[in-house]
Amino acid sequence: MSASGGTRAIVAALGANLAIAVSKFVAFAFSGSSSMLAEGVHSMADSGNQFLLLIGGKRAQREATPQHPFGYGRERYIYAFLVSIVLFSVGGMFAIYEGYEKITHPHAIEHWYWPVGVLAFAILAEGFSFRTAIKESNQLRGTLSWAQFIRRAKAPELPVVLLEDFGALIGLLLALGGVGLALLTGDGVWDGIGTVCIGVLLVLIALVLAAETKSLLLGEAAGADVIQQIERATVDGETVTRIIHMRTLHLGPEELLVAAKIAVRHDDTATEVAAAIDAAEARVRAAVPIARVIYLEPDIYSETEAAKGPDREATPGGPAPHSDSH
């Protein structure tokens, strides 16, 4: 659902941004408004970003290879991170530069009806794209707030499109304000100020996207609700008595790795332990279909060992063992 919903939102945003970009560049050509130029570049950058997301989604579907045994699911995160870079450099920094130039060398806006008409059209088109992204996101968001959804979503496409469309709508309002004040006062500096505000907004959104996609690239665990489902499915109370410890890792938005040490009875035979592991894996896959890669290690639970707490040196991310030098 997240993949198809994300694709629909991307295609809607791509169509809207291409149409808007053309109209903004036409408005800039007739009016000379720097806000229109910045907004045109912004829309082109957004269109390129949607292409990147589509490419990432396609490349992530490749089959696993001996060199990449866990597949290519994380390509979607890589391309989402590229989106944040494009938005920061092409969109945000260009707008700030163009706004600075307009403030230092202001000139009046000509043919005011071009930028105003294009901005009105762009607001309608971006509103349609934003509405599509909201509709698709609501199917996955559940009871989460919008901020929580953007922070916790494992599929990057919908949060990226949501933030881009939200930023685009705010940017259009800023452009409309800059153009309107420039027309009312006859001072083109206001157009430049609006352009700088657009650039700052894009930089902030790009930084948020970069932070979120960086976390996904580093590797995020499953959500708390998913972990609880895995725990309930793994332990049956008879062959698997408890989970000693467990690690989960998203190999992609719809692919989860589960590694756990499970407690079995001390008098179980090897055949019984193997059957218990197979049954536990089947239960986990039934409860959490995205749990594609599962490694279960049987052990005998010891309260004495458990009381010692986790071994940091044996834990991924823990300190490296120290060796004495003589």
Side-chain angles (χ1 to χ4, degrees):
M1 183 184 297
S2 60
S4 60
T7 301
R8 282 192 292 269
I10 293 170
V11 171
L14 177 60
N17 280 318
L18 287 174
I20 292 169
V22 172
S23 65
K24 287 174 179 176
F25 284 125
V26 171
F28 164 70
F30 280 94
S31 67
S33 167
S34 67
S35 290
M36 285 294 93
L37 177 59
E39 277 294 307
V41 172
H42 173 197
S43 294
M44 286 301 298
D46 280 353
S47 300
N49 288 340
Q50 272 101 53
F51 275 117
L52 286 173
L53 291 176
L54 290 173
I55 292 171
K58 183 68 174 178
R59 291 180 62 83
Q61 296 173 9
R62 290 178 294 166
E63 295 292 332
T65 65
Q67 187 176 7
H68 298 92
F70 293 114
Y72 294 85
R74 287 195 182 183
E75 289 242 28
R76 289 167 68 179
Y77 301 151
I78 293 171
Y79 280 85
F81 189 75
L82 291 176
V83 165
S84 67
I85 296 173
V86 172
L87 196 62
F88 178 87
S89 57
V90 179
M93 299 308 293
F94 175 84
I96 291 174
Y97 170 78
E98 183 63 25
Y100 172 78
E101 286 293 313
K102 188 61 179 285
I103 291 173
T104 54
H105 303 93
H107 59 81
I109 295 176
E110 302 173 355
H111 306 292
W112 62 270
Y113 42 84
W114 275 102
V116 172
V118 165
L119 286 172
F121 164 72
I123 288 173
L124 291 175
E126 286 289 0
F128 167 75
S129 174
F130 194 39
R131 178 179 176 274
T132 302
I134 290 174
K135 181 180 177 181
E136 299 298 337
S137 298
N138 278 333
Q139 299 182 35
L140 304 173
R141 187 167 63 95
T143 59
L144 297 176
S145 67
W146 285 108
Q148 290 173 329
F149 173 72
I150 290 172
R151 225 171 27 242
R152 299 181 186 178
K154 306 304 180 184
E157 291 84 1
L158 284 172
V160 168
V161 174
L162 280 169
L163 286 174
E164 279 190 349
D165 286 349
F166 176 74
L169 284 170
I170 300 299
L172 289 168
L173 294 176
L174 291 171
L176 188 61
V179 170
L181 287 172
L183 292 172
L184 288 174
T185 62
D187 189 351
V189 168
W190 288 106
D191 188 29
I193 293 174
T195 307
V196 170
C197 291
I198 293 169
V200 171
L201 173 68
L202 295 180
V203 167
L204 291 175
I205 291 175
L207 292 175
V208 172
L209 284 177
E212 294 304 317
T213 51
K214 173 191 171 185
S215 178
L216 292 169
L217 277 172
L218 287 174
E220 287 190 357
D225 55 336
V226 174
I227 290 177
Q228 290 176 1
Q229 293 177 47
I230 294 173
E231 290 174 342
R232 287 195 297 267
T234 303
V235 178
D236 65 354
E238 296 180 5
T239 56
V240 179
T241 58
R242 70 170 64 222
I243 294 176
I244 299 174
H245 64 73
M246 181 173 69
R247 300 286 186 272
T248 61
L249 178 69
H250 268 276
L251 302 174
E254 283 95 31
E255 189 168 12
L256 187 66
L257 181 149
V258 178
K261 178 173 284 192
I262 58 174
V264 296
R265 299 186 185 280
H266 69 279
D267 55 352
D268 285 348
T269 65
T271 301
E272 290 171 333
V273 170
I277 291 174
D278 290 342
E281 289 179 353
R283 292 194 301 270
V284 171
R285 289 194 172 95
V288 183
I290 66 170
R292 308 274 180 84
V293 183
I294 303 175
Y295 297 109
L296 300 180
E297 177 187 354
D299 201 349
I300 306 300
Y301 178 72
S302 167
E303 292 186 357
T304 303
E305 291 298 320
K308 296 179 182 179
D311 181 359
R312 289 296 300 156
E313 292 189 351
T315 302
H322 296 288
S323 59
D324 296 329
S325 58
H326 302 283

